[in-house]
């Protein structure tokens, strides 16, 4: 009789844990539903960037410029800072970059990337990934991934998927 009672307790504990786990997963689902919709925009650093003519390992540069929607209308602005951590050739370098996109409504989206930078316009377009690191307003606490397509030197199309 002792074994049967013990077996029932174990079965009850497993069932309770399974129910709690199921409820926990169900409770997590609305958080996914609250993720912002995918987002696409273009960043233009062509008027304000400090990419060095001769990059040096450990050097840094920064840029800022407008953020544009698909029709070319300005919807915000962006600021970035980058540190050179690889030099492939006189025209190609790798940089760790952090970009802050501030939309017209004041919401901020933070992106980080190990970015290949190429100043040779014949090598375009090319694509790399960036990490979504939260932000403010609608982007507070979000994460995700962005596909960044370098369209020409200093111009980047950004497609963001939130998780």
């Amino acid at each position: 009789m002792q074994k049967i009672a013990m077996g029932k307790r174990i079965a009850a504990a497993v069932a309770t844990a399974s129910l709690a786990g199921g409820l926990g997963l169900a409770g997590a689902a609305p958080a996914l539903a609250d993720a912002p919709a995918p987002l696409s925009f273009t960043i233009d650093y062509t008027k304000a960037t400090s990419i060095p003519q001769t990059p040096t390992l450990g050097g840094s540069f920064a840029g800022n410029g407008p953020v544009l929607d698909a029709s070319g209308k300005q919807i915000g602005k962006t600021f970035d800072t980058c540190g050179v951590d690889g030099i492939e050739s006189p025209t190609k370098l790798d940089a760790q970059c952090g970009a802050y996109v501030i939309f017209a409504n004041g919401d901020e989206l933070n992106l980080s990337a190990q970015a290949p930078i190429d100043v040779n316009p014949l090598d375009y377009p090319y694509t790399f990934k960036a990490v979504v690191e939260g932000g403010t307003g609608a982007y507070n606490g979000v994460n995700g991934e962005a596909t960044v397509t370098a369209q020409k030197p200093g111009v980047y199309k950004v497609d963001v998927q939130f998780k």
Side-chain angles (χ1 to χ4, degrees), residues 5-129:
M6 182 63 97
K8 286 182 180 179
R9 285 186 202 145
I10 292 172
V14 168
T16 302
S18 295
L19 179 60
L23 291 174
L25 290 176
L32 294 175
D34 292 338
L39 184 62
S40 292
F41 52 87
T42 299
I43 294 173
D44 184 351
Y45 292 116
T46 58
K47 293 184 176 67
T49 190
S50 64
I51 295 176
Q53 290 290 331
T54 306
T56 57
L57 197 58
S60 63
F61 58 94
N64 63 67
V67 175
L68 310 168
D69 68 11
S71 69
K73 177 183 172 196
Q74 184 170 346
I75 58 171
K77 56 188 173 181
T78 185
F79 303 89
D80 80 342
T81 56
C82 301
V84 177
D85 53 8
I87 299 172
E88 294 181 33
S89 73
T91 63
K92 294 182 182 184
L93 59 101
D94 291 310
Q96 175 60 44
C97 297
Y100 305 92
V101 177
I102 303 170
F103 294 98
N105 68 357
D107 289 354
E108 180 180 310
L109 179 65
N110 302 332
L111 303 169
S112 178
Q114 180 65 31
I117 308 292
D118 192 340
V119 295
N120 182 351
L122 301 177
D123 293 339
Y124 285 77
Y126 63 89
T127 301
F128 59 95
K129 296 290 187 179

Side-chain angles (χ1 to χ4, degrees), residues 97 99 110-115 127-133 144-148 158-161:
C97 297
N110 302 332
L111 303 169
S112 178
Q114 180 65 31
T127 301
F128 59 95
K129 296 290 187 179
V131 177
V132 174
E133 296 183 323
E145 179 177 276
T147 300
V148 181
V158 182
D159 296 304
V160 182
Q161 294 290 324

